[in-house]
Amino acid sequence: MRHPSHRRLCGGIGAAAGTLVLSLSGFAIPASAATVNQTGGVSPTAAMGTPALTTNGAYEAVRELKQCGSTMYAVGQFTTITQNGTTLTRNNIFSFSATAPYTLTSWAPNVNGVVDTIAFNGANCSDAYIGGNFTSVNGTSANRIAEISTSSGGLVSSFAHNANGEVFTMILSKSHLLTGGAFTTINGSSTRYYVSLNAGTGDNDGYAKLNISGTYQYQGVVAESTKVYNQQASHGGSRVMVEGVFTSVGGHARQQAFQEWLGPTGVGVTGWSAPILNDHCVTAEPFYVRAAAWAPDDGTVYTASTGSHLYLNSTTPLTGPCDATIAFSGAEQSVSPEWTNYTGCDSLYAAVADTSAVYVAGHPRWSNNPNGCNAEGAGAVPDRGLQGLNPATGRVELNSNGTNLYTMSRSNADDEIITSAGMWIASTNRFDSGMCGNVQGVSGICFLPYN
């Protein structure tokens, strides 16, 4: 079973107070988005005491986590958060300390619908941009996009706040708020699906003009509308990977994912393309590349996918791009897979990488499983929820006893980010998902510190 509207990992560009900032070609990257070189990988044991989703039978999800200064911000679909036995009302957004004991703040904006993404403006983290599928903030009309105060939670009225379709992803590059979604108009602009908004006014600043269009068409397909769903900034800050539903971007044929460069006066499509992503997966999931991650040196990109198996072909050993982690060269040219790790027809929704591992998550049951589809094939490794893969080979990282190193419940992780302290995972409360990194009671938010 796959969640029908799963959201993702998202990086960001722009300095934030209290974060380590790397810089290249004038683009500043916060440590919450940039991978900090570490040795030994993150701990397989989760930190205790992080805020958790309430396990009450209703579907809830943390869709994205972002650090700004010393504070973590969480957005998604929920109405209550539990910490140390206390349950508090939080409507689709909240914040907490980034360090133990991870104390919830009193900040509690009332957003009346799902929040998919959050980004920050200014070195002092005084304001946040949010996007999703909501119509009001604290009772004031705001359609799917808004800027809010990180002190009061109130709407910043000077920033335009009206999109006619869901806003899935936002990252800030200098004064450009790169915004993707299913909208066809946003803040008075008719630029569709992907637009650069002025960080002060919310108006289209003309920086991104990619003319995105197209949908995936084949016999029996469940139709999905054109959209930009996810994006990840390179560590160098000059390129962005983008995922979504499209067949043409900037006049170039692209499906599932494309790579863009960020220039001083505009955005352009690079020569990076992956022909294997033109292959179709099952009819229920025409859009399958839900997330990507850059290697620390930006030389490799890793994609995480849904899709079960190739269209009309579930023969093993599996081939194609479906339900797999794939490593590609990040070079600005046509590329083929460097390695592929199949789950065996279970979905992946999030990816991130450091020098030690590629971490992917969703609701897989196995890793190294090209020889099974919804079954454990020959050579497969039981590996539920979270998988740590060797960056050079794609093979699952194992303990000395031959079992997988990382584990969490099959809880449909939506987001992973790496900070200088470790890896944060955002997920749902599906499948009674209270376990991550061998620790119970961390439904929705899991933190694996660096050793």
Side-chain angles (χ1 to χ4, degrees), residues 26-292:
F27 294 92
I29 310 295
S32 58
T35 299
V36 180
N37 289 338
Q38 298 282 342
T39 58
V42 298
S43 170
T45 302
M48 299 287 290
T50 53
L53 295 172
T54 305
T55 305
N56 56 12
Y59 172 81
E60 294 185 337
V62 176
R63 295 201 180 279
E64 186 170 275
L65 289 164
K66 194 72 64 66
Q67 182 174 351
C68 196
S70 60
T71 302
M72 296 296 301
Y73 292 82
V75 299
Q77 180 180 344
F78 45 80
T79 56
T80 57
I81 295 296
T82 299
Q83 188 174 45
N84 300 324
T86 300
T87 299
L88 297 172
T89 298
R90 293 292 187 271
N91 290 314
N92 305 308
I93 187 169
F94 69 96
S95 64
F96 60 97
S97 172
T99 56
Y102 312 109
T103 305
L104 276 167
T105 72
S106 60
W107 188 68
N110 181 12
V111 185
N112 75 337
V114 61
V115 181
D116 290 313
T117 185
I118 185 168
F120 294 93
N121 183 20
N124 60 2
C125 304
S126 60
D127 296 304
Y129 304 102
I130 58 173
N133 196 21
F134 52 84
T135 58
S136 71
V137 176
N138 297 331
T140 301
S141 177
N143 291 317
R144 304 175 186 87
I145 188 169
E147 183 179 4
I148 58 177
S149 166
T150 55
S151 55
S152 70
L155 185 74
V156 178
S157 60
S158 58
F159 184 86
H161 40 272
N162 187 24
N164 73 343
E166 192 161 358
V167 173
F168 289 114
T169 176
M170 297 188 294
I171 59 177
L172 190 69
S173 170
K174 294 188 175 180
S175 61
H176 307 292
L177 186 64
L178 301 175
T179 302
F183 53 82
T184 56
T185 63
I186 185 168
N187 293 347
S189 171
S190 58
T191 297
R192 300 181 173 207
Y193 315 123
Y194 193 69
V195 65
S196 173
L197 302 177
N198 180 282
T201 67
D203 296 334
N204 183 354
D205 62 16
Y207 182 69
K209 302 175 182 177
L210 294 180
N211 298 314
I212 294 172
S213 64
T215 59
Y216 305 132
Q217 302 290 327
Y218 49 104
Q219 186 175 3
V221 68
V222 175
E224 286 200 60
S225 62
T226 308
K227 59 190 170 189
V228 166
Y229 183 76
N230 201 358
Q231 55 184 335
Q232 306 83 26
S234 66
H235 303 296
S238 61
R239 291 179 292 165
V240 178
M241 288 294 297
V242 183
E243 300 84 51
V245 178
F246 39 72
T247 57
S248 179
V249 182
H252 301 275
R254 297 288 188 272
Q255 294 189 38
Q256 304 292 332
F258 68 90
Q259 184 189 105
E260 66 184 16
W261 50 260
L262 306 180
T265 60
V267 170
V269 180
T270 79
W272 186 92
S273 65
I276 194 174
L277 302 184
N278 295 334
D279 293 345
H280 297 309
C281 297
V282 295
T283 56
E285 292 183 305
F287 168 45
Y288 51 83
V289 177
R290 301 299 181 93

